[in-house]
Amino acid sequence: MTITGRAAADRESKVRPRVSPKPTAKADLLVLGIAAALATIVLGAQQTPSPPLTAAQAGSGRVVYDARCASCHQPDLRGGAEAPSLSGAGFRSRWLTRSPEELTAYVQAAMPPTGARLSGVDAINVSAFLITTNRTPSGVPAPAALAPPAATVTAKPAPKRGLTVLGHIDNYVPVTEEMLKNPPPGDWLMARRTYQAWSYSPLDQITRANVANLRLAWIWAMNDQDGANQPMPLVHNGIIYLVGTGGTVEALNGKTGDLIWQAEVGPGEAVSIGSMRNLAIYEDRLLIATTDARLVALDAVTGRQLWETTIANRSKGFANSGGPIVIHGKAINGLGGCDRYGPDRCFISAYDVGTGNLAWRFNTIAQTGEPGGDTWGELPDNFRKGGETWIAGSYDPELNLTYWGTAQAKPWMHASRGTTARDAGLYTSSTLALNPDEGKLVWHYQHAPGESLDLDEVFERVLVDVDNQKTLFTIGKAGILWKLDRRTGAYLGHHETVFQNIFDSIDPKTGVPTYRPDIIEQRVEQWVQSCPSTEGGHNWQAMSYHQPTGVLIIPLSQSCMEMSGRRIDRQEGGGGAGADRRFFEMPGSDGNVGKLAAYNVSTMKEEWNYQQRAPFLTSVLSTGGGLAFVGDLDRRFRAFDVRTGAIVWETRLGTSVQGFPVSFSVDGKQYVAVTTGLGGGSPRNVPRTIAPEIKPPDSGAALYVFEVPDPH
């Protein structure tokens, strides 16, 4: 573990090595998406091949697949998010040319990527199901042919819906538009607390001087079973509103931890990554975007459902992990799961808080004849995919602009999606500035035109006035901190926060990057190295702007990868991420995956950094007491001195600390809250391959609330 100060080497050099050190033999054994090495591990001692796979095994494998695999790879095997397609030409060319034992070895050694692995029998049966399915002419499941004997099928219970615990919040105070603009100091009313997305609490009772006395006030257990747990609690007038996996919404007494009411909005099971990262509140309405792409309004007083509207059709792969923000009585929400081929495309949309009626929609993928429609080369409209907005946006009330980041084009590598590095693919990997009343685009800035390695720029947009200039800061998976003029979108500067070798240079006047030649010239089924990996740089764990000292405190990750694009079938319902990856340690990191660093908003220079083996898996919460709170994979929750980066308090919790810490007050007393949980895509999966000695428990999702005891 190291701390370095201003004297740390500046990473703003113009040119990067084209190729980083190759993965070690150890890293090669930890390939995700490639079976050969894993097959050697599992099958090395096997003397003879297994008997032929049978229809009965395939039928039983379908049951296991539906229960353990379909939430990520989808019931129709098309894949989604980071889960690859398990059907089509890419799968057939990779696996049907090999022995069934190799596929079984990979399934048993690596699947699922989080939680308990499949047993040997289950792995054999799932492999039989996949192989049999992909031998059908269409390459999609044939339910009648593969149905297992009725006695082996266990029906899943219907998910619970509606109020499951009745209760009432007394003396509720409606949340006004003015309160959203200027929240009470003790409240946390939206994603990252303020429209400007600072993740900063002005509360200052807990300080560097007394934080050593911080202790646990209470714990609330959460659901472990239905996806990744990465929530941000809302707090209003001492009431905590919490969304858990599967769509469980709860109102808790912030002082005692007592449950007031509980509602189930669904889907009641893991969908896609399974996490929901924020709620919204306005007047007497609590707004929840569900993982299966619905928007639900609950009565904040009782938990009773008021309305529900469908954002997008879940059967076409759409999903959500980011909730809404409310502007002028409209709930504005993004969308995920936009990687399937077909006429539907990704969008940001707004809904009337009172009725749930659609107010406007802005499509994030430009089609032929539209502005930006000529940036996809010769690719037909039905195959232009990606542009998800799975992190809640921010808002400038003075300019009346809301700012959203967009994800990369799909499939991940341009060789797989049928474009070139010269085809920018608007509006992917961009910052969008929209009028919140009409949804009209005012300006856009594309950070990574033609992005080709799943290093997108979808994350938080932090709004700070610097030297009398309205600026916007954001950082994506490439680990580059960008500074834009938020009036116009003009590029103002950048800083490289971790080692990167994707771009040979970045134009100092425009910010336009130049990719390495081998990235430009990539081909399908050829490995391309890059630093950082899909873990980021920076990922969903939000930075914090500490206003008193003028620094951005950013959780970062240090890992590298090789990526190989697959051949993708151009057919309705196909698509997906379409790439294999293998990961290795970042050069110069000394094996430290986690990095926490502070950057001056005026100079963009690094003030300090702290590095450790375990990745940081929460956003940063900074406070008026001069503290920055953050949690990690190794169960540690810490407070850092904002000025120096020194650790001033720490504790160890039940499992991986992940989510969005918040601070609030009840009856004049300050509290700090954070969640633990499981799952979460690359930020969880990559460390499993390069830091396998870190083993948090596979249970223990909970909300922890801390206080400094009153003096006696």
Side-chain angles (χ1 to χ4, degrees):
M1 300 179 183
T2 59
I3 300 176
T4 60
R6 292 176 184 265
D10 188 2
R11 294 181 176 84
E12 294 290 345
S13 59
K14 302 287 185 185
V15 180
R16 290 297 178 198
R18 289 189 180 182
V19 180
S20 60
K22 284 189 174 294
T24 63
K26 175 183 176 183
D28 279 331
L29 294 178
L30 297 166
V31 169
L32 295 183
I34 300 296
L38 289 166
T40 301
I41 294 172
V42 179
L43 297 173
Q46 186 168 313
Q47 301 301 313
T48 58
S50 301
L53 299 173
T54 67
Q57 288 174 321
S60 297
R62 180 184 171 204
V63 175
V64 177
Y65 179 88
D66 288 345
R68 301 290 305 280
C69 312
S71 63
C72 293
H73 294 279
Q74 309 305 323
D76 61 4
L77 279 65
R78 297 293 190 187
E82 295 194 351
S85 172
L86 300 180
S87 66
F91 182 91
R92 292 194 294 271
S93 66
R94 186 170 300 278
W95 291 111
L96 297 193
T97 58
R98 302 181 181 188
S99 69
E101 290 87 354
E102 287 185 272
L103 178 57
T104 299
Y106 175 68
V107 170
Q108 186 175 6
M111 293 291 115
T114 59
R117 295 286 191 266
L118 296 180
S119 69
V121 172
D122 285 347
I124 290 171
N125 291 342
V126 168
S127 300
F129 167 61
L130 297 177
I131 290 170
T132 304
T133 297
N134 278 280
R135 283 176 177 162
T136 64
S138 63
V140 298
L146 297 181
T152 69
V153 178
T154 302
K156 290 185 79 172
K160 296 181 292 184
R161 289 293 178 91
L163 276 167
T164 53
V165 176
L166 301 178
H168 187 278
I169 296 171
D170 297 327
N171 303 315
Y172 180 84
V173 177
V175 175
T176 65
E177 191 165 320
E178 183 57 35
M179 290 167 68
L180 293 179
K181 291 180 182 178
N182 298 288
D187 280 6
W188 197 286
L189 298 179
M190 68 180 72
R192 303 180 297 271
R193 190 176 179 275
T194 61
Y195 277 140
Q196 293 75 24
W198 287 1
S199 296
Y200 166 76
S201 169
L203 297 176
D204 58 6
Q205 285 184 354
I206 302 172
T207 67
R208 291 182 291 265
N210 66 12
V211 70
N213 299 322
L214 198 65
R215 72 175 189 188
L216 185 65
W218 53 266
I219 305 173
W220 179 258
M222 301 177 69
N223 180 24
D224 277 328
Q225 304 303 314
D226 295 317
N229 198 48
Q230 302 167 351
M232 178 187 297
L234 289 190
V235 189
H236 176 46
N237 269 3
I239 304 300
I240 296 176
Y241 296 99
L242 184 65
V243 60
T245 58
T248 300
V249 184
E250 295 161 320
L252 306 169
N253 183 310
K255 185 174 183 178
T256 66
D258 292 331
L259 179 66
I260 301 172
W261 57 253
Q262 182 184 74
E264 301 287 347
V265 300
E269 60 184 354
V271 172
S272 187
I273 200 170
S275 68
M276 182 48 58
R277 297 186 175 93
N278 71 280
L279 301 165
I281 191 169
Y282 182 62
E283 295 178 340
D284 60 352
R285 302 190 173 214
L286 192 66
L287 299 145
I288 305 101
T290 65
T291 55
D292 58 348
R294 294 173 292 118
L295 188 64
V296 178
L298 301 181
D299 185 323
V301 176
T302 65
R304 179 176 60 89
Q305 183 166 314
L306 301 175
W307 53 256
E308 173 184 315
T309 190
T310 297
I311 297 174
N313 188 339
R314 173 60 199 153
S315 69
K316 296 183 178 181
F318 294 110
N320 257 319
S321 62
I325 61 170
V326 176
I327 303 172
H328 300 164
K330 296 181 179 66
I332 304 175
N333 210 87
L335 186 62
C338 307
D339 55 2
R340 292 201 187 191
Y341 291 148
D344 300 287
R345 47 182 166 163
C346 220
F347 53 82
I348 302 166
S349 51
Y351 304 85
D352 184 277
V353 171
T355 65
N357 292 335
L358 178 68
W360 55 257
R361 177 181 291 176
F362 176 81
N363 293 309
T364 60
I365 297 296
Q367 293 190 342
T368 304
E370 299 175 345
D374 58 351
T375 62
W376 289 82
E378 301 300 318
L379 197 64
D381 289 343
N382 276 12
F383 305 117
R384 301 179 181 191
K385 295 300 160 187
E388 291 89 344
T389 48
W390 50 273
I391 296 290
S394 49
Y395 173 59
D396 184 333
E398 292 182 9
L399 298 179
N400 196 32
L401 293 177
T402 182
Y403 305 92
W404 293 73
T406 58
Q408 72 287 80
K410 305 292 190 308
W412 285 339
M413 302 189 80
H414 67 72
S416 296
R417 64 179 175 255
T419 59
T420 72
R422 295 181 297 276
D423 300 321
L426 288 173
Y427 293 96
T428 62
S429 291
S430 299
T431 296
L432 307 179
L434 305 176
N435 178 298
D437 301 313
E438 302 173 342
K440 301 296 185 183
L441 181 67
V442 176
W443 59 258
H444 78 276
Y445 180 89
Q446 192 169 35
H447 302 273
E451 198 285 311
S452 294
L453 295 166
D454 184 29
L455 300 175
D456 52 311
E457 303 282 342
V458 72
F459 310 108
E460 70 277 9
R461 268 59 186 166
V462 178
L463 314 182
V464 181
D465 292 346
V466 181
D467 303 325
N468 296 317
Q469 185 171 28
K470 285 182 170 289
T471 63
L472 176 152
F473 292 90
T474 190
I475 178 172
K477 288 187 181 180
I480 296 172
L481 179 63
W482 301 95
K483 185 177 185 179
L484 305 179
D485 184 315
R486 69 176 186 267
R487 293 181 184 272
T488 65
Y491 165 83
L492 299 177
H494 74 277
H495 184 93
E496 297 180 23
T497 64
V498 298
F499 173 76
Q500 72 87 13
N501 64 0
I502 308 148
F503 306 127
D504 271 352
S505 64
I506 298 176
D507 189 293
K509 294 183 178 180
T510 65
V512 175
T514 299
Y515 292 90
R516 283 187 352 234
D518 60 318
I519 295 176
I520 295 172
E521 298 160 5
Q522 65 185 241
R523 299 289 184 269
V524 293
E525 299 181 349
Q526 292 183 2
W527 291 99
V528 176
Q529 290 188 353
S530 68
C531 297
S533 78
T534 55
E535 179 187 22
H538 181 67
N539 209 294
W540 60 263
Q541 308 96 303
M543 63 178 139
S544 177
Y545 173 57
H546 188 255
Q547 185 183 30
T549 56
V551 297
L552 296 165
I553 306 165
I554 309 177
L556 303 163
S557 295
Q558 301 180 124
S559 61
C560 300
M561 69 176 178
E562 290 187 312
M563 180 178 282
S564 173
R566 304 190 190 104
R567 300 184 187 278
I568 304 296
D569 288 336
R570 296 275 185 86
Q571 62 181 20
E572 186 90 7
D580 299 316
R581 296 164 292 165
R582 51 194 183 198
F583 304 104
F584 55 99
E585 293 178 356
M586 180 174 283
S589 68
D590 196 27
N592 290 314
V593 181
K595 178 179 177 181
L596 185 71
Y599 298 89
N600 184 290
V601 294
S602 294
T603 65
M604 298 190 74
K605 300 301 182 183
E606 186 178 278
E607 298 281 336
W608 55 260
N609 79 66
Y610 175 88
Q611 299 184 44
Q612 64 178 35
R613 180 69 165 156
F616 294 103
L617 286 182
T618 73
S619 67
V620 176
L621 160 68
S622 67
T623 71
L627 301 169
F629 292 88
V630 66
D632 67 31
L633 177 66
D634 203 24
R635 304 189 288 125
R636 288 182 170 86
F637 186 49
R638 292 187 173 113
F640 289 78
D641 186 324
V642 167
R643 300 170 304 176
T644 66
I647 296 171
V648 291
W649 172 85
E650 71 174 88
T651 189
R652 212 164 188 206
L653 305 182
T655 191
S656 173
V657 190
Q658 54 188 59
F660 296 78
V662 304
S663 189
F664 61 94
S665 65
V666 184
D667 296 335
K669 184 173 185 177
Q670 182 181 0
Y671 296 85
V672 173
V674 70
T675 54
T676 55
L678 314 172
S682 284
R684 282 286 303 242
N685 296 339
V686 175
R688 290 189 60 198
T689 70
I690 62 176
E693 74 279 7
I694 302 173
K695 297 180 175 69
D698 286 332
S699 62
L703 173 68
Y704 292 76
V705 176
F706 297 89
E707 65 179 354
V708 171
D710 296 326
H712 296 295

